[in-house]
Amino acid sequence: MSESPPATRLGVTVTVAPLGDVRGNIATLLGQSLHDLLTMFYPPAVGKKANVAVTELVQNVIQNVLDADSELGLDLRVDDAVLVVRVRNKATPDQYEAVRARVDALAASVAPKHLFTETLRKRRADRLKGGLGLMRLVAKNRFRLAVSYEQEHLTMQAAFPLRGIQ
Amino acid sequence: MNVLTYGEIMEGGASVFHCVVREDDGSLFVIFSGVVRVDNPARHLAELLGELRLVLPGRTIDRTVIDFTELEFCNSNGFYIIMDIIELVYAAGTGPVLVRRLEEDDWQQETLPILLNLDEAAVAARTSFEDVGEI
């Protein structure tokens, strides 16, 4: 019986500083670039997963920049077992607590899809921007989220298991 | 085939998203293509929504086809505008609606039914899907 060769291991780190220099839609640019890179080695579905995670997490950072001199760090790793996207940025303890509360609520939800649907309708009625990105990653894309805070920096991680996708 | 209205999103000087609404002998075709990545898609497509509100009411529409197979990406800010367009299209007729979507695109398989409001029995009864393999 022949075994398939191990999948390509790929890692990309991007840092941007100062964030005040960002002109244009950097979330889009990074999401699309990494999508294109991943689809050289992985099925399109993996590239799309990376695209969604990178776009939503970077967009969250750009919409909540605290310090124009601070840095955005993006780290993407993928192998045959898991796709991991980490985004790091400067944040206040209050911002971290707010993000952590949302991540905990999503993790605790027995019906994340229902939560997503209800939140989408509520926010649409009020025309509220944002607030759906993390929920979308969990409820619709089955990412596992984790958040940590160290030395004034928040790190958001989205992981997607790849066993069986190829 | 008449083009009733058309909307697009420009980004960095390039057209990245189109929505074309066509009519042909009682059939309405709504085609989404490209990517919705901009921060505020509603601003780009406000004119399209305004035109849809003008051209759709009173028109005889026997069947509708909404085609998402060329929509490559939609960020969460794009969900509301997709919902706005879909709502107007469904309100314009009472006939069947065929939704063409990509078979292997998670958001089209899982999020799209929510944007279409399939929980609503009247909407679900009119809607069928054609799952299309990505080329």
Side-chain angles (χ1 to χ4, degrees), chain A residues 39-112:
Chain A
T39 50
M40 178 183 284
F41 306 101
Y42 284 85
V46 179
K48 284 184 178 180
K49 289 283 179 195
N51 193 350
V52 170
V54 170
T55 303
E56 296 291 358
L57 295 184
V58 173
Q59 191 69 40
N60 279 353
V61 170
I62 297 301
Q63 285 175 346
N64 296 288
V65 172
L66 179 72
D67 176 357
D69 291 326
S70 66
E71 179 179 279
L72 162 75
L74 165 67
D75 188 64
L76 180 147
R77 304 280 143 185
V78 61
D79 57 27
D80 57 357
V82 67
L83 163 71
V84 179
V85 177
R86 287 188 199 92
V87 172
R88 183 173 183 270
N89 65 296
K90 191 172 180 181
T92 64
D94 286 348
Q95 284 177 315
Y96 164 67
E97 288 302 333
V99 173
R100 196 177 63 117
R102 282 164 60 192
V103 170
D104 288 350
L106 280 168
S109 173
V110 289

Side-chain angles (χ1 to χ4, degrees), chain A residues 25 28 32 48-49 51 56 59 63 113 117 120-121 123-124 127-130 136 140 142, chain B residues 11 37 39 73-77 79-80 83-84 87 105-106 110-111 114-115 117 119 134:
Chain A
N25 195 337
T28 295
Q32 188 61 47
K48 284 184 178 180
K49 289 283 179 195
N51 193 350
E56 296 291 358
Q59 191 69 40
Q63 285 175 346
K113 286 185 185 179
T117 304
L120 174 65
R121 288 182 183 151
R123 296 185 76 82
R124 181 189 177 216
R127 289 283 153 184
L128 295 173
K129 278 175 64 181
R136 178 187 193 188
K140 314 311 296 180
R142 295 184 289 278
Chain B
E11 206 180 340
R37 298 181 188 283
D39 193 34
F73 188 87
C74 182
N75 66 14
S76 43
N77 291 337
F79 291 169
Y80 304 149
M83 292 170 90
D84 291 343
E87 206 167 77
D105 189 306
D106 281 358
E110 297 193 25
T111 308
I114 296 170
L115 306 191
N117 202 16
D119 288 354
E134 202 164 0

